[in-house]
Amino acid sequence: MSETSELWQIKLVLEFFSSRSHQERLQTHPKRGLFMNSEFLPVVKCSIDNTLDQWLQAGGDVCLHAYLSGQPWEESQLSMLACFLVYHSVPAPRHLPSVGLEGSTSFAELLFKCKQLKMPVRALLRLAPLLLGNPQPMVM
């Protein structure tokens, strides 16, 4: 994974296939107009999740912490950091709450701080272990 434009495309397809309108259409017209095998998408999502989790475990968490706290990060990590931020809809540092996400003591406090960011809950679930000091990603 090195290009965010391809990741945006995949993210859009994943969002479309999980949308309520698409699910309702499938119920009324099964197998009509499908341009992709529905079994393919979970495999793609799992592959992206695994790749990003491996990056976090291999030191990407340090880069992400630097990003979230407005500190400089390693140039060599820029591509994967960008992919993580795009995939999980993490806003630019200037749009993060002034109180800071790090230093939260509970998921509820973190959720309260992120409410105004309009981040998807799945993104917050992925970030929460890092921000709360638990290196394991939360199960989604």
Side-chain angles (χ1 to χ4, degrees):
M1 259 193 306
S2 63
E3 294 293 327
T4 58
S5 59
E6 286 92 359
L7 198 57
W8 266 110
Q9 299 285 327
I10 293 169
K11 185 176 172 178
L12 288 172
V13 171
L14 289 170
E15 291 296 324
F16 169 74
F17 271 87
S18 64
S19 70
R20 181 186 310 218
S21 62
H22 178 70
Q23 296 301 319
E24 289 171 356
R25 180 178 173 206
L26 282 178
Q27 289 176 352
T28 57
H29 305 289
K31 303 286 184 190
R32 181 174 169 206
L34 292 179
F35 64 91
M36 188 177 298
N37 184 337
S38 62
E39 295 171 3
F40 175 71
L41 293 174
V43 172
V44 170
K45 183 183 180 319
C46 184
S47 177
I48 293 169
D49 286 339
N50 287 338
T51 300
L52 293 174
D53 286 346
Q54 288 173 6
W55 172 73
L56 287 173
Q57 293 170 0
D61 60 332
V62 174
C63 183
L64 184 60
H65 279 289
Y67 174 85
L68 292 172
S69 62
Q71 303 298 316
W73 55 84
E74 284 186 48
E75 187 75 26
S76 64
Q77 299 284 334
L78 185 59
S79 178
M80 285 301 291
L81 174 63
C83 287
F84 185 93
L85 299 174
V86 164
Y87 187 68
H88 291 297
S89 304
V90 178
R94 68 180 178 272
H95 297 297
L96 294 173
S98 58
V99 291
L101 296 175
E102 295 184 289
S104 299
T105 57
S106 69
F107 183 75
E109 180 184 352
L110 190 59
L111 184 61
F112 180 75
K113 288 180 181 179
C114 289
K115 183 179 179 183
Q116 48 193 278
L117 295 177
K118 299 179 182 170
M119 284 174 50
V121 173
R122 69 177 176 82
L124 185 57
L125 288 172
R126 192 60 78 196
L127 286 170
L130 297 169
L131 298 172
L132 296 173
N134 179 359
Q136 298 298 319
M138 295 180 119
V139 177
M140 295 198 279

